[in-house]
Amino acid sequence: MDYLQTVDWSRAQFAMTAVYHWFFVPLTLGLSVLAAIMETLYYRTGDVFWRRTTRFWMRLFGINFAIGVATGLILEFEFGTNWSNYSHFVGDIFGAPLAIEGIMAFFLESTFIAVMFFGWDKVSRGAHLAATWLTAVGANLSALWILVANAWMQYPVGCRFNLQTVRNEMTSFWEVALSPVAVNKFFHAVASSFVLAALFVVGVSAWYLLRRREERMARGSIAIASFFGAVFAVVTAVTGDRSGAVVARVQPMKLAAMEALYDGEAGASLTVVGLLRRDRADDDGPFRFRIGIPKLLSWMSFRDAESYVPGIRDLVAGNAERGILSAEEMMARGRKAVAELGRYRAAREAGDRAAMAAVERKFDPAAPEGEEFLREYFAYFGYGYLESPAQTVPNVPLLFYSFRVMVGAGVFFIVLLAAVWWLNRRGTLASARWLLRLCVWMIPVAYLASQAGWAVAEAGRQPWAVQNLMPVGVAASKIPSASVGTTFFLFLALFTVLLAVEISILLRQIRLGPDGAEIPEPEKL
Amino acid sequence: MDTLTILQHYWWFVISLLGALLVFLLFVQGGQALLPCLGRTEEDRSLAVNALGRKWELTFTTLVTFGGAFFASFPLFYSTSFGGAFYVWMAILLCFVLQAVAYEYRRKPANLLGRRTFDVFLTINGILGPLLLGTAVSTFFTGAPFTVDRLNLADAAGGAGVVISQWATPWHGLDALANGWNLVLGAAVTLLAMMLACQYFIGSVADDAFVARARRRMLPCALGFAVCFAAWLVRLLFATGLAADPATGTIVAVPYKYLRNFLEMPFVAALLLAGVVAVLWSIRLGWRGSRRAVGFGGGGTVASVLALLLCAGWNRTAYYPSLVDMQSSLTIAGSSSSLFTLRTMAWVSLMIPFVAAYIAWAWRAIGRRPLTREELDGEGHQY
């Protein structure tokens, strides 16, 4: 019982750390690129205005970067401290992207960030520009590798189970690195981060325009950020659409939960807005009200407007007509696969080589019985640990609303950023004060949308730590739940304080503007 | 040796090298620990912090990469030690979080907590970071109370809480602090970090009074380090170690295992000796005020720590001995990733010399001229 509480606390701790981490990462990813673009303009034109502008945004980048690094460290080590079984079971695959991230990306980022901040008068202009771009490349490369790792948990490919070591082992690095989930996830997460950073730059610049301060810098920054943001908002939408199509194929339960689709249908409609019933009464359907677009969900999922999209009930109870196994059936098959491990251990302890060899053949893809066992039973290994079919259903309201916040905000950002770019280009933006105020308010909305995206991705794959292979319930370390509870509150308090500090410093630096930003308070000297 | 065995040894070498570089780079922590005595005035303190601030991210990144590379190459250690010695690792992480924000925020207006709080964060990280990391590394030799049974996964259903790697005591890592020898190595690493920090200041700060203070502080740190390290090393040479029997693969106790390792791998012993001599030479150079002291101190540290970690893992030694179930002890052969993953990662590791080259370039570019008080008043980025 205590172990189950430990699992819950570990989930809470990891989710909390990830949420805090993601407060800082998207701005780092996007602002590094925007600062590099601005410095490129300085390099090409020699206009000190761009140097001043670049340095202002770099200062805000630095304030944000530090705390992203801190929360990132915790996340990496929490795989070991809180998810010990997981680390063993899939460490052979999952550890590699983490190590590559360190070797390829973190050193690049941390080395050149020092040159970027301290090298203005120590290296040539060209070398400094290269350092700024390499910092941006390093930041985005680190996103690539951690997203590859995350994608593998959602869609475990390029591996096979090794009975001798009782773990999954990598068989194809490129299948892991270039899986459709990984590719879409990377472009979607990075593009959406660029949009968030663009909205941050536009919002802060809009604040200056409202105050009639730093107007040249604000307009110059908006010109770059709004164009950059609008382009990547479109990329976000396109990659989001592709992600949806991949999810329909590899995580159908996540898609059904996102849409609150309880009963599968051919030609399924996409809900644009809707309000869910609290009790999910069967007779009345799950919605209090709903506006949908006919056939769009089917088309987006399978590129066929008449295709069948399975619902939550189909995936739990099974649908023989559509060839969907029930959760109960998958659990039974999973239990058989898990039981083979028990048989193997008993045979090994008894020294029964014939019995050991029989189990080994089942896990050997080259042996005929192995091929069948791996396909029909081991594929559902993780289901063997579940106790009821209901566990296979994620939190529907959380997914449903998070998805709509993400998509709604994302579509609005395309329109907003395009409009801001156009008005700024015509020189009439400063007089559209309502729009400037809206831009300021869109900064928190961008963060909300970004977090909502991760809520869809992560809460949507519950109960799985690794899709179909390992539920979170058996992935955790065995530590007293009170200990994990304690570290949860410790980190919660620390991160909350540091977030407050970061926001306070950022707001002060923005208020001080590009010239006053580096002046420490006299009494603090 | 088959390919897998070669790659296991290669990866243990890479991990050891990263660990050795990390110990050298802990000079940043050493400098932070010395802040209360070296930074008497606010200006002195800023001088020290800004000199260290150009390097803190490198230490941090090396720690993260060390963790990631360990995970990729020896995942069973990652799942056993991190999930078992929970409190120690959490304490280490916590004190590094404090460091990550302290540099950037300490002098920023509206930082809510005040500069002094962030300086205290730096000092906490400066002392606890090396102390706890040194203590944790010492358990590579002194062992820890854990058991490993991979087939426990067969019993893990229904929230039974049967996990692959289990800690045999409720102390979850705090037990490492009960072993005095672990603390001795922890103290040695802390004092070494302080000594290296003094040498770093001598080489990278252009201020006579400050450098003179750093020179004076270096000697007691060096002396304390030498005593702690010598005691720990002598005890190690007489210690019984665990090793995999070459014929059966079972783990057996071997008297004077680490001494034997040095005798059977003379190049490792030579590396240790060269490292120790270089560190001793750096003390002499540092006392004379030579800017080259940190080069010798750093190089010597890397060589010594590399030799010790190779001694812990090579020659069939159990690099993570279990105190409660000898057969659960981790050797590089029994805890590594698969041949495929090690081979893939070996290709990736070819990037390391390239990474080292650009780090060296950046180090030279930024540190070509020692930091001056005037620079702290300039328009550049300040901590």
Side-chain angles (χ1 to χ4, degrees), chain A residues 63 76 92 113 345 385 483 504, chain B residues 57 87 105 110 153 155 338:
Chain A
I63 293 161
E76 177 185 343
D92 192 73
I113 206 171
R345 177 157 71 180
Y385 294 112
S483 302
S504 169
Chain B
E57 279 164 351
Y87 297 133
Y105 293 174
L153 269 186
D155 303 325
S338 64

Side-chain angles (χ1 to χ4, degrees), chain A residues 242-259:
Chain A
R242 284 169 179 269
S243 287
V246 175
V247 165
R249 200 155 48 81
V250 304
Q251 294 173 304
M253 179 62 90
K254 183 192 276 187
L255 181 75
M258 276 157 57
E259 285 300 311

